[in-house]
Amino acid sequence: MFRFAGTAGPYSVLSVLSTLAAPPSPARPALTRTAYWIRLLPALAALACVTRVPSFVRPLWNPDEGYLAVQAGLLAHGGRLYETVVDRKPPLVPWLYEAAFAVCGSGSLTPLRVLAVAAQLLTAALLASVARRRWGDTAGRTAGVLYLLVSVGLNPEDAQAATFEVFILPGTAAAVWCADRGRWGAAGTAVACAFLAKQTGGAVLLPVLWLLHRRAGAGPGTPVRAGAVRLVAGFAAPVLGAALVTDPAGFLFWTVTGSTAYASLAGSGPHVLGRALANTAILAVACAGLVPPVLRVLRATRATAADLWLWLASSAAAVVLGFHFFGHYYLQLLPPAALLATAALQLLPRARLTSAVLTSACCCALFLAWGLYAPRPELAHAQRLATALAQRTTPADRVLVWGMHPETYWLADRTPASRYLTAGLLTNYSGGRDGPRVGERYAVAGAWPVFRAEMTARAPALVIDDSRGEPYRPDRLPSLRRLLTGRYEEVGRVDGAVLYARIPRG
């Protein structure tokens, strides 16, 4: 049991759960705001730490973490985002990694794991505040606890990684929190923060606009137009600032206009459909305690929680956008789902609340066990590649890992020879696309001329072909095949990956 001593006396995660399940006591006075949060926040913090324990047991969870770690290292050594360091994402999370590495060093992702815990705690606290304002003290505790219990309800490599979607969540919750209180400038800034963590974070703008629209029907004199102006200004200022700090044209291209080939279902329909069904089923297990109460009072909550349904719908659209259905995309669904379940439980007998919390806790325990004990073969593969890479090169050498595991650069502490950290940007290979939509012609516009120039100006000392028979293998790519032929020779193999060393000139 986690126990904290505060001004309100000892408090723990288990005591929160027991309080949720206990019948109401008419003789007990309502807590003041300060006493309420002094009691609740330490318990939510303990629960957030417990649910994120698996994230600390592995050096790295997925290639997105590796990509961000390599980006942060390049930025720290003078790289420029959207010029010499590129990705299809906004800049907030790369900057966060860069700042964490500047303070704590770049050898470990532990500081980012701590920040991820803080992000989940902040999200839970904001949801608790929204629920308490609408439905009372118990609802606040319910929303915070339910959210944290279901927050790990995906494949651990999706739920435990400190990547884009985790850092979207506080911004989305803050946007709804601010809009619920009519703080439109702050709501716009919160939407911008979510968008700058990842583009799909901007989906929360829909429920914010609904809450603004609802103010229009609140009576004469409601300053809806002024609120809309503040909302737009609050959103535009951070986004324009980020564009100006980086490169406006590059920011627009890499975050909006340059991903048309990526956001396509063509060529991978069956595979993508299978992933969508699998991740939906996994999330349904995690939300087994939330779905039944929502369905039981569906009609009532459609009227009383319209903004929450819009939030859920816009988040679902964000999951669908791009037709990739990776598990971490589903994290955006969890904050509105937790609030909708809380709203439903206010209309049901107390026993339903007990059942929802206990079911969610049991499911959470299953996902934590999965995270602690499931093997990660791809991480082991990347570690073996990194060992071979470090043995055959020096820290001053530039290298090229041709594959989908940018973490190899970070694990080996070697500098990439190209701004394109994976083969995906140069071939459109992502998430299991099959051959017909993978190749040089499907690359990010203008990428291959830049890549060829990089390979000429700073030829890598070692090339690792980690394609292992996938559609982006070198024999299907004329430019890469020409690079290797005559200039490199095979010097080894690791788990099916081929190592090529540069042939010394005569």
Side-chain angles (χ1 to χ4, degrees):
M1 179 185 296
F2 291 79
R3 191 173 292 275
F4 297 82
T7 57
Y11 215 62
S12 67
V13 173
L14 294 183
S15 65
V16 171
L17 299 179
S18 63
T19 301
L20 293 177
S25 174
R28 184 176 180 176
L31 292 172
T32 65
R33 177 181 300 179
T34 300
Y36 181 84
W37 290 109
I38 286 176
R39 289 183 170 218
L40 182 59
L41 282 178
L44 290 181
L47 185 55
C49 291
V50 169
T51 57
R52 302 294 300 183
V53 163
S55 72
F56 292 90
V57 303
R58 300 183 188 278
L60 185 138
W61 275 98
N62 65 24
D64 281 351
E65 285 187 324
Y67 205 115
L68 284 162
V70 177
Q71 276 188 305
L74 293 172
L75 291 172
H77 289 88
R80 287 186 56 80
L81 203 56
Y82 308 126
E83 294 181 26
T84 59
V85 183
V86 299
D87 192 15
R88 289 185 171 105
K89 304 294 193 302
L92 188 59
V93 183
W95 285 342
L96 187 65
Y97 268 64
E98 182 187 8
F101 284 177
V103 173
C104 303
S106 60
S108 169
L109 295 185
T110 297
L112 281 307
R113 308 277 193 247
V114 174
L115 291 175
V117 173
Q120 292 288 39
L121 173 60
L122 178 57
T123 303
L126 289 165
L127 296 178
S129 182
V130 170
R132 184 180 187 238
R133 174 182 168 87
R134 296 188 180 193
W135 306 299
D137 288 356
T138 298
R141 293 190 290 269
T142 301
V145 168
L146 286 179
Y147 170 73
L148 289 173
L149 290 176
V150 301
S151 67
V152 295
L154 290 164
N155 188 317
E157 71 178 30
D158 296 308
Q160 296 291 343
T163 53
F164 303 97
E165 286 75 16
V166 168
F167 296 111
I168 285 175
L169 301 175
T172 60
V176 173
W177 187 92
C178 293
D180 198 45
R181 289 158 172 77
R183 301 177 184 178
W184 304 111
T189 300
V191 175
C193 288
F195 173 83
L196 289 172
K198 189 181 176 185
Q199 298 94 318
T200 53
V204 76
L205 184 61
L206 185 59
V208 170
L209 289 173
W210 169 260
L211 289 169
L212 179 62
H213 167 73
R214 196 170 67 180
R215 288 283 176 120
T222 303
V224 175
R225 181 173 298 179
V229 171
R230 290 196 294 272
L231 178 65
V232 170
F235 175 80
V239 174
L240 291 176
L244 292 172
V245 166
T246 54
D247 169 59
F251 177 88
L252 179 63
F253 176 81
W254 284 101
T255 63
V256 181
T257 63
S259 300
T260 53
Y262 178 81
S264 169
L265 187 61
S268 54
H271 184 92
V272 168
L273 179 60
R275 185 191 300 120
L277 294 175
N279 284 322
T280 301
I282 292 171
L283 188 65
V285 172
C287 295
L290 276 60
V291 174
V294 172
L295 293 179
R296 287 182 68 88
V297 292
L298 181 62
R299 183 172 299 178
T301 57
R302 277 188 302 188
T304 60
D307 59 320
L308 302 182
W309 282 108
L310 281 173
W311 189 5
L312 184 66
S314 63
S315 299
V319 172
V320 174
L321 186 65
F323 305 107
H324 284 267
F325 298 99
F326 293 121
H328 43 273
Y329 290 9
Y330 287 72
L331 289 173
Q332 273 189 260
L333 299 172
L334 298 179
L339 283 179
L340 282 168
T342 302
L345 289 167
Q346 308 314 302
L347 305 175
L348 294 171
R350 187 80 177 188
R352 296 287 181 183
L353 173 58
T354 304
S355 175
V357 172
L358 292 179
T359 301
S360 297
C362 290
C363 293
C364 179
L366 290 175
F367 283 98
L368 292 180
W370 185 6
L372 288 171
Y373 298 112
R376 314 302 309 176
E378 286 301 307
L379 172 59
H381 170 75
Q383 289 172 322
R384 287 190 288 270
L385 278 187
T387 299
L389 183 57
Q391 290 172 346
R392 292 182 175 273
T393 59
T394 69
D397 289 330
R398 289 182 177 270
V399 298
L400 175 67
V401 178
W402 184 255
M404 301 301 293
H405 290 282
E407 61 268 28
T408 305
Y409 294 115
W410 177 69
L411 292 168
D413 193 22
R414 293 296 184 266
T415 302
S418 172
R419 69 194 67 190
Y420 307 112
L421 302 184
T422 71
L425 296 174
L426 289 158
T427 65
N428 195 41
Y429 181 86
S430 177
R433 290 190 186 277
D434 59 14
R437 298 290 296 183
V438 175
E440 290 189 34
R441 62 181 295 189
Y442 302 108
V444 171
W448 275 98
V450 172
F451 179 75
R452 286 191 288 265
E454 289 174 328
M455 294 301 101
T456 300
R458 49 191 186 196
L462 189 76
V463 175
I464 296 181
D465 170 20
D466 193 30
S467 57
R468 291 177 283 168
E470 295 292 351
Y472 58 87
R473 60 188 182 272
D475 62 18
R476 294 190 57 187
L477 305 168
S479 294
L480 185 59
R481 190 169 62 246
R482 285 193 295 268
L483 169 69
L484 294 175
T485 302
R487 298 172 60 184
Y488 289 84
E489 60 181 354
E490 181 178 334
V491 294
R493 293 181 177 245
V494 178
D495 295 343
V498 185
L499 281 62
Y500 295 93
R502 192 167 63 224
I503 299 173
R505 293 186 178 179

